[in-house]
Amino acid sequence: MADEEQSPSRLAEVRAARIEKVARLRELGVDPYPSTFGERQEIAWAREQPEESGVRIAGRLVLWRRHGGSTFANLRDQSGQIQIQLRKDVVGEGKYELVKLLEVGDFIGVSGPLFTTRTGELTVKVEEFSVLTKTLRPLPEKWHGLTDPETRVRKRHLAYIADPEEMRNVATRATFIRSIRSFLEERDFIEVATPVLESIPGGADAEPFTTHHNALGRDFYLRISLELPHKRLIVGGFERVYEVGRVFRNEGIGREHLQDYDLLEFYWAYADLDALKQLVQQFYASVIESTFGSLKLTYGDDVLDFTPPWPELDYFELFRGIGIDLDAHPTAEALLPVARERVGDEAKPGLGRGRLIDMIYKREIRPTLIQPQLLTGHPVDISPLAKRDPQHEGRVQRIQVLMAGSEVGNGFAELNDPLDQRARFEEQQRLREAGDREAQMLDEEFLEALEYGMPPTAGFGVSIERWLMYLTNSPTIRDVVAFPLVRPPSD
RNA sequence: GGGCCCGUAGCUCAGCGGUAGAGCAGCGGACUUUUAAUCCGAUGGUCGCGGGUUCGAUCCCCGCCGGGCCCCCCA
């Protein structure tokens, strides 16, 4: 890191002093970076042992209080933290010289019996210790920690050191995904893997990233959803498939939006919308209960209650609730004045009716939907891949899961009429040509597959990160991923 | 894309026209039961970058870069 070494700062001095300590350790015959400490116990386990038990633990020094011939320090591993005491008369005068070369941040291994200090703190009386890793850079300040949001994201390792609690989100995510898999596996869904690079990105309204394939000499898109390949698997004869896969959307950064995230999708042949509604509620209840141990979780000022059955809301009813009869505005032109009144200039002429409806919904309705519930009866205009509802002209058989004013799950009876699907894609193409960059692209290969026949199928998708953000009461979605995208440092 | 705010030591923060400050960490010293240990001492800065105004700019103005929040939007 040449740029670091040029820096004439305090950091450079600290770093030089620590490199000097590395050299002094070597002069004393101590390897500052040994390969192993051998067997060790977890600190959390050690804390459970009775007094006088011998323990052997390792970790990072996080606090350091030297006073003459005795030094107290706090040692932390992934499981927890414990105080240790290093005494000159216990470890020996020669070995105690090494203590002077240690500092906060270093990894050491220690062994010795447990005792309780006069102030009541469980402590390891260190008889033997070894340096495991000497650190060169100072840790964030011990009391205030690391507060700068930029550094917290760019140097996530420091954020975890400063706030070990945050590591929990990583573990929670692992448990959560395991629960998801086992719920679906128990119901005979097969986990599949579909391509990340696509000729035509489909299955969602989103702008894609592009990349280049050298050998084929052409550009590809990174997928924005998993939907179309999964449906081709259903065409091929699979009846229950699912995937947890990374998707990429070339769009804005915000508290609810990442550029790459894990999407869960599953497709279930011969199931209708009613069956999907039942399964989705069971699914959410099951994975939330097994991950968090409760169906009532706090988000912000609200307690979200996931106990089924959830209320069901009708899309058109909600619009009537805010004084808009969508049936009375059957075209984009007819709806435009209403939309402008509600959302202002953002509602531009040329946008499709679906996009206008969606804008009003997102502005006026969705933020009021706090408790987990199912939204149904969406207009066909905003659902180009969903089957029409034979009971309601202009509407589709679709559900969205709403919680905390946000969309956390989306499913429908999949459109399997190939000619209708072609017509919907053609309508999307018209919208694209009119300037809607998120309108979907026509996928001829997918249409051809549909012409071979896809049985009636219910499908569902949900963003793992968005879902976890609400379940873990995280103010921003960046909190649930270790390394969200950031602008690279300029040189 | 629009509005508001922020960028000073490794970290946490003061200062806001007149020689750049503190705490933590680090360095030297004292101290064998401390808990953000304490005490003494010395050290540490291209005040995000570039222009402008001014006798003089970390401070005022303009631009740029990076970040945050709120709108907007894709889950």
Side-chain angles (χ1 to χ4, degrees):
Chain A
M1 306 284 271
D3 59 330
E4 308 284 351
E5 278 158 18
Q6 287 165 6
S7 161
S9 58
R10 166 55 25 131
L11 174 61
E13 290 170 33
V14 169
R15 196 163 164 273
R18 293 194 179 198
I19 289 172
E20 180 57 29
K21 286 181 187 171
V22 169
R24 280 160 67 191
L25 285 169
R26 289 207 167 100
E27 281 163 23
L28 293 166
V30 174
D31 180 358
Y33 303 101
S35 335
T36 184
F37 178 55
E39 292 291 308
R40 72 178 176 106
Q41 294 136 7
E42 287 197 335
I43 287 175
W45 179 88
R47 294 193 69 97
E48 300 299 310
Q49 304 313 304
E51 252 184 77
E52 322 237 329
S53 310
V55 297
R56 181 176 167 84
I57 56 177
R60 190 192 289 274
L61 292 167
V62 290
L63 284 172
W64 189 245
R65 298 176 289 283
R66 246 191 82 197
H67 9 346
S70 169
T71 298
F72 285 95
N74 295 54
L75 195 66
R76 184 161 84 202
D77 70 8
Q78 192 184 317
S79 73
Q81 209 178 112
I82 194 168
Q83 177 167 269
I84 63 173
Q85 185 189 29
L86 294 142
R87 293 173 55 148
K88 191 191 277 187
D89 59 0
V90 176
V91 300
E93 193 143 343
K95 198 79 188 284
Y96 198 74
E97 286 304 300
L98 295 183
V99 171
K100 295 175 184 166
L101 298 174
L102 295 176
E103 58 214 308
V104 166
D106 295 341
F107 285 88
I108 65 170
V110 307
S111 57
L114 292 167
F115 75 104
T116 302
T117 64
R118 91 165 57 121
T119 47
E121 173 121 6
L122 184 68
T123 303
V124 179
K125 181 175 174 185
V126 176
E127 292 172 344
E128 299 286 344
F129 72 95
S130 35
V131 179
L132 298 180
T133 301
K134 183 70 194 158
T135 53
L136 299 186
R137 288 173 187 256
L139 260 31
E141 204 256 352
K142 64 188 176 189
W143 187 243
H144 301 93
L146 186 63
T147 62
D148 176 41
E150 182 175 0
T151 312
R152 289 188 67 89
V153 170
R154 287 187 188 273
K155 304 188 181 182
R156 188 64 108 183
H157 46 281
L158 293 182
Y160 289 136
I161 293 169
D163 291 295
E165 282 293 297
E166 288 209 9
M167 294 165 66
R168 192 181 310 187
N169 278 342
V170 175
T172 298
R173 176 200 180 87
T175 307
F176 189 61
I177 290 183
R178 204 178 313 124
S179 305
I180 288 171
R181 286 204 163 94
S182 64
F183 180 92
L184 292 169
E185 301 280 345
E186 279 163 20
R187 284 158 186 79
D188 298 323
F189 283 82
I190 296 173
E191 182 167 12
V192 298
T194 60
V196 170
L197 300 179
E198 295 186 315
S199 299
I200 296 176
D205 296 351
E207 281 194 60
F209 285 90
T210 56
T211 187
H212 187 76
H213 190 292
N214 292 336
L216 294 176
R218 56 156 297 175
D219 286 346
F220 279 85
Y221 297 100
L222 302 186
R223 66 184 175 189
I224 57 174
S225 92
L226 315 175
E227 178 149 352
L228 303 188
H230 280 234
K231 287 179 177 174
R232 289 167 64 187
L233 291 170
I234 301 290
V235 168
F238 288 93
E239 295 181 358
R240 298 178 189 202
V241 293
Y242 79 98
E243 180 172 2
V244 177
R246 192 64 63 96
V247 299
F248 308 85
R249 299 190 178 183
N250 202 345
E251 289 163 343
I253 298 177
R255 61 173 281 276
E256 276 199 304
H257 295 278
L258 298 166
Q259 276 58 70
D260 60 303
Y261 65 94
D262 272 320
L263 188 57
L264 162 73
E265 294 201 29
F266 65 77
Y267 289 82
W268 183 18
Y270 307 107
D272 62 14
L273 192 68
D274 285 330
L276 183 65
K277 285 177 189 170
Q278 296 310 311
L279 184 72
V280 163
Q281 292 178 67
Q282 285 172 29
F283 175 53
Y284 277 56
S286 168
V287 301
I288 290 169
E289 174 88 53
S290 65
T291 307
F292 298 94
S294 170
L295 288 175
K296 294 190 173 74
L297 299 177
T298 298
Y299 189 78
D301 296 331
D302 302 302
V303 175
L304 308 179
D305 185 352
F306 290 91
T307 309
W310 303 339
E312 203 170 303
L313 303 166
D314 181 272
Y315 206 95
F316 281 53
E317 280 296 327
L318 288 172
F319 271 79
R320 278 192 279 276
I322 60 164
I324 299 175
D325 181 0
L326 288 178
D327 289 319
H329 304 89
T331 63
E333 292 68 33
L335 188 59
L336 186 62
V338 178
R340 294 186 76 86
E341 184 185 308
R342 301 288 174 146
V343 305
D345 295 342
E346 296 290 319
K348 296 185 193 68
L351 290 178
R353 175 171 179 263
R355 192 67 64 204
L356 293 174
I357 291 174
D358 200 39
M359 288 172 91
I360 300 171
Y361 160 71
K362 282 172 175 160
R363 173 70 68 86
E364 293 214 14
I365 297 175
R366 197 175 70 186
T368 67
L369 307 177
I370 302 302
Q371 286 303 318
Q373 47 205 311
L374 295 175
L375 177 64
T376 66
H378 300 64
V380 65
D381 317 61
I382 61 169
S383 316
L385 299 164
K387 195 189 274 282
R388 290 177 192 274
D389 182 350
Q391 314 299 318
H392 298 276
E393 176 70 25
R395 300 170 69 174
V396 294
Q397 301 177 51
R398 179 175 179 184
I399 54 169
Q400 277 185 319
V401 178
L402 279 300
M403 65 181 76
S406 186
E407 204 174 287
V408 188
N410 180 34
F412 32 84
E414 302 295 339
L415 178 57
N416 61 345
D417 173 344
L419 300 181
D420 190 3
Q421 182 68 79
R422 180 175 295 276
R424 305 263 197 104
F425 274 145
E426 285 167 352
E427 173 60 19
Q428 291 287 308
Q429 284 299 96
R430 276 191 287 279
L431 294 172
R432 278 190 80 79
E433 281 151 23
D436 186 343
R437 295 159 64 89
E438 290 162 8
Q440 300 191 15
M441 298 183 199
L442 188 145
D443 185 335
E444 201 63 59
E445 278 187 297
F446 172 64
L447 286 174
E448 185 192 313
L450 271 194
E451 293 193 5
Y452 285 102
M454 180 175 78
T457 298
F460 187 80
V462 56
S463 154
I464 299 291
E465 286 82 1
R466 172 76 65 81
W467 196 2
L468 272 176
M469 167 187 171
Y470 289 108
L471 299 181
T472 57
N473 196 17
S474 297
T476 87
I477 200 164
R478 279 147 60 115
D479 295 340
V480 303
V481 294
F483 300 106
L485 185 73
V486 286
R487 197 182 295 267
S490 55
D491 31 6

